[in-house]
Amino acid sequence: MQQPQAIIFDLDGVLTDTSEYHYRAWKHLADDEKIPFTREENDAHLRDVGRRESLEYLIRDRQYSEQQMQEMMGRKNRYYQQCIRSMTSADVAPGGRDLLQEIRQRGIKTAIASSSKNSLTVLEHLGLIPLFDGIADGWCVVNGKPAPDIFVYAAGMVGVHTPDCLGIEDAAAGVEAIKAAGMRAIGIGPRERFHGADAVLPELSNLRLAQLLDAR
Ligand code: BG6
Ligand code: MG
């Protein structure tokens, strides 16, 4: 593609493997509540999905009060925060830091568009904050992915029109959000996970900018 003016990254499952920690935290909660929940369900239904929507998927038609749901979301978040506490710069996807540096050296803006309210903590642990021109997280918009809002917000943070942005995602809901924002979308993961993506790459590890731009 023509060189984008901004590349906007999802965080969890793209730049680092925190999607595994989200899964473990939901699994812990599901086990507490004796709700059956598998890794396959997580991959198919919870990747990139916000905290409340994830809980709603998990409990389905079981009856809980709003207060009980708030408590469960808080409990899942505590389990998640225990997982991320020991993260370090070694937890950045291999080559991820080099890729971000290369993008910036080419004069392309970098931004995060993540649904997670824990994004800043994760980015601090990874030591990546200085490599982003804009960070949009779960505190920034009301409508989560697949709504385009978080990607539009991130593009605004770096002052680039959405058609000039490239978005990178590991989840179907995220690719949908990127396309709804009018951006080119690259899915990271198995090809069958993504329908509307412009290109798919199996993983972000050790990618160079040219491979991102040439991806099909
Ligand atoms: C997304 C993750 O980035 O953020 C989801 O892919 C997670 O798994 C969502 O549910 C919300 O995260 P948090 O940290 O605000 O509960
Ligand atoms: Mg993700």
Side-chain angles (χ1 to χ4, degrees):
M1 86 180 271
Q2 203 188 336
Q3 183 168 299
Q5 290 175 32
I7 301 185
I8 304 182
F9 292 85
D10 174 42
L11 175 63
D12 298 320
V14 172
L15 286 168
T16 186
D17 203 12
T18 32
S19 43
E20 173 66 19
Y21 296 150
H22 280 293
Y23 163 66
R24 286 185 201 167
W26 284 121
K27 179 67 180 154
H28 194 160
L29 180 80
D31 289 351
D32 289 349
E33 299 295 320
K34 310 216 168 3
I35 298 174
F37 178 56
T38 63
R39 185 178 282 279
E40 289 68 33
E41 278 180 283
N42 180 77
D43 276 358
H45 301 285
L46 295 200
R47 255 178 202 274
D48 260 24
V49 171
R51 202 179 297 174
R52 173 174 282 272
E53 294 77 10
S54 299
L55 179 63
E56 284 168 356
Y57 172 81
L58 206 70
I59 63 177
R60 300 212 188 107
D61 47 11
R62 292 171 182 81
Q63 293 302 313
Y64 290 99
S65 67
E66 176 60 26
Q67 198 183 350
Q68 286 172 314
M69 287 179 67
Q70 290 293 342
E71 185 281 324
M72 285 193 277
M73 286 188 278
R75 194 169 1 135
K76 181 269 173 179
N77 198 44
R78 283 196 302 281
Y79 294 151
Y80 179 68
Q81 287 176 336
Q82 277 163 16
C83 295
I84 61 177
R85 210 170 354 182
S86 53
M87 288 180 81
T88 68
S89 55
D91 293 303
V92 180
R97 185 173 279 97
D98 292 342
L99 176 64
L100 288 166
Q101 276 160 350
E102 187 188 2
I103 293 169
R104 289 163 65 86
Q105 278 157 11
R106 285 275 288 272
I108 302 171
K109 302 275 189 206
T110 53
I112 288 283
S114 167
S115 312
S116 174
K117 294 187 164 89
N118 292 290
S119 297
L120 277 181
T121 309
V122 170
L123 288 165
E124 268 167 26
H125 280 278
L126 298 176
L128 288 183
I129 288 186
L131 293 180
F132 288 100
D133 300 294
I135 296 171
D137 66 10
W139 299 100
C140 293
V141 298
V142 173
N143 300 311
K145 301 169 189 176
D149 307 26
I150 190 82
F151 282 93
V152 175
Y153 190 98
M157 283 181 106
V158 298
V160 175
H161 293 300
T162 59
D164 297 320
C165 296
L166 168 65
I168 304 188
E169 266 288 351
D170 71 313
V175 164
E176 212 182 305
I178 297 172
K179 292 312 296 174
M183 302 177 183
R184 180 173 166 81
I186 297 187
I188 303 286
R191 195 165 279 274
E192 59 274 14
R193 189 186 288 164
F194 308 101
H195 295 296
D198 297 293
V200 177
L201 291 165
E203 54 182 353
L204 189 87
S205 293
N206 302 315
L207 274 187
R208 305 305 306 265
L209 177 60
Q211 292 165 288
L212 263 191
L213 301 187
D214 292 346
R216 296 273 168 270

